[in-house]
Every structure is written in structure tokens, then in C-alpha cells.
Amino acid sequence: MLIDRINDVIEFRDSLNPESDRGCALMAAAFLDAELDSLFRKYVVANPRVADDLFGQSRPISTFSSRIDLAYLLGLIDQVTHRDLHLIRKIRNDFGHVHTPLTFEQAAIAARVRELKTHFREGDVPPRMIFISCAVGALAILHTALHNRQPIAERQTPDVEAARVTANRLTEAFIAALEDKPPSNADT
């Protein structure tokens, strides 16, 4: 239900506020990554074993980066959101791969944050607020795609014998039609 999705977005935003800058960046990226996983699982046949083989840990579409790209290629997100999610991923990596204290105010991170577009902030706003706003905006876009999608039913195994019989009948009818057809002027 849409109101539940709105409440999830608000809860997500509120959960980021008390975190350190590092915790905020790591949590936001992890949550968006998990939402992409949920989105893809809704867009494929409901077969958890096969989905896990594709989306599970250390599998072909298990990284945040590959999920962002696939969402874009499938038309689930637009080009701006695609770029913003990659920037969020890079900001997460900045925080996650450096052992020294970091903040959103540091030049390299603040510069990345200023490149983000899917946010609702204007004017001179601290980078952390822009980052959170962009993460919330991206989440809203993912939730919209999730809300608009119906699960895909697994295709039934075709009845090969019935298809063979139908193909034979069509072939026989086609041959009979050719044999009964009077020759055209080009054949004389």
C-alpha cells in the first residue's frame, strides 16, 4: 500500500539522522542496495532459488553497482537517479574504505554530494542534508517502480506434442492450399 511506502521512506530518513556521517552514508547505501534487490525480485518469476543464484551474495548481480546499472537498463530508474545512486555508492566507499575520521564536510565528499541531483534542498545547505535528501528521493523513485509492478507468473512448460500436431496440421493445410492454387501468370 502506498501509505506504507511513504511511512517506510519517513522511517528511513529518520533512522539516518542520529547516525554519524560514516554510519549515515553506509546505512543509506545498504538500504538502497537492499531495495534494489527487492525491486528485482518483484520483476522476476517467483523462484527464490534461481533469484538467489543471480542476486545472492557473490553472485552476478550482487553488487550495488551492478544493481544500479541493471535498474537503469531495465528502465526502472532514469538517468539522473542512475548517476545519483552511483554517487551515493562512491560516497559510501569513501567512508567505508578509509579508517580515519571523515565527515560530509570534507572537500572530496562535499564535492561528490554537490553533484547529487535527486534531492529537495535549495540554497546553502550542509552536504549531509543534501545526501540524506537525495537518498530519500532515490528511495521514493525505487518505491514508485516497486509499487507499479505486478509479479511475473512463471511460464508453463509448453505441450510439445500438441505443438507438433498443430504444426503438422498447418503444414498439411499449407501444402494442400499450394496444390489447389491455380498457376499465376508469371508461371506460364
Side-chain angles (χ1 to χ4, degrees), residues 14-179:
D14 290 346
S15 74
L16 297 177
N17 289 334
E19 292 293 328
S20 66
D21 284 359
R22 185 184 311 271
C24 176
L26 297 176
M27 276 185 58
F31 192 76
L32 291 168
D33 186 16
E35 290 299 294
L36 282 167
D37 181 68
S38 296
L39 179 61
F40 292 138
R41 288 174 188 272
K42 191 166 182 181
Y43 270 80
V44 298
V45 170
N47 185 322
R49 186 189 59 75
V50 176
D52 287 344
D53 285 347
L54 191 60
F55 303 121
Q57 192 169 5
S58 298
R59 304 311 297 171
I61 306 175
S62 64
T63 66
F64 192 21
S65 180
S66 64
R67 290 177 180 172
I68 293 166
D69 289 343
L70 183 59
Y72 171 68
L73 289 174
L74 292 174
L76 303 175
I77 60 173
D78 60 90
Q79 196 171 29
V80 172
T81 305
H82 173 255
R83 186 170 186 276
D84 279 357
L85 285 171
H86 273 298
L87 286 168
I88 288 170
R89 178 186 59 78
K90 288 176 182 178
I91 292 166
R92 176 212 54 192
N93 290 349
D94 290 342
F95 279 105
H97 295 186
V98 175
H99 68 281
T100 58
L102 291 176
T103 69
F104 282 105
E105 298 294 332
Q106 289 180 293
I109 295 173
R112 280 198 211 274
V113 169
R114 282 191 293 277
E115 292 180 50
L116 295 169
K117 303 287 184 226
T118 314
H119 61 83
F120 312 102
R121 302 294 180 169
E122 293 182 19
D124 191 27
V125 178
R128 179 184 169 116
M129 289 179 72
I130 293 170
F131 178 86
I132 290 173
S133 183
C134 185
V136 168
L139 180 60
I141 289 167
L142 295 177
H143 278 186
T144 300
L146 225 132
H147 177 74
N148 292 335
R149 182 64 180 167
Q150 298 300 316
I152 296 174
E154 187 171 355
R155 290 181 183 238
Q156 299 299 314
T157 303
D159 184 346
V160 176
E161 182 58 27
R164 186 189 63 73
V165 169
T166 301
N168 284 342
R169 284 187 189 145
L170 289 172
T171 302
E172 289 169 5
F174 180 71
I175 291 169
L178 287 176
E179 290 172 350

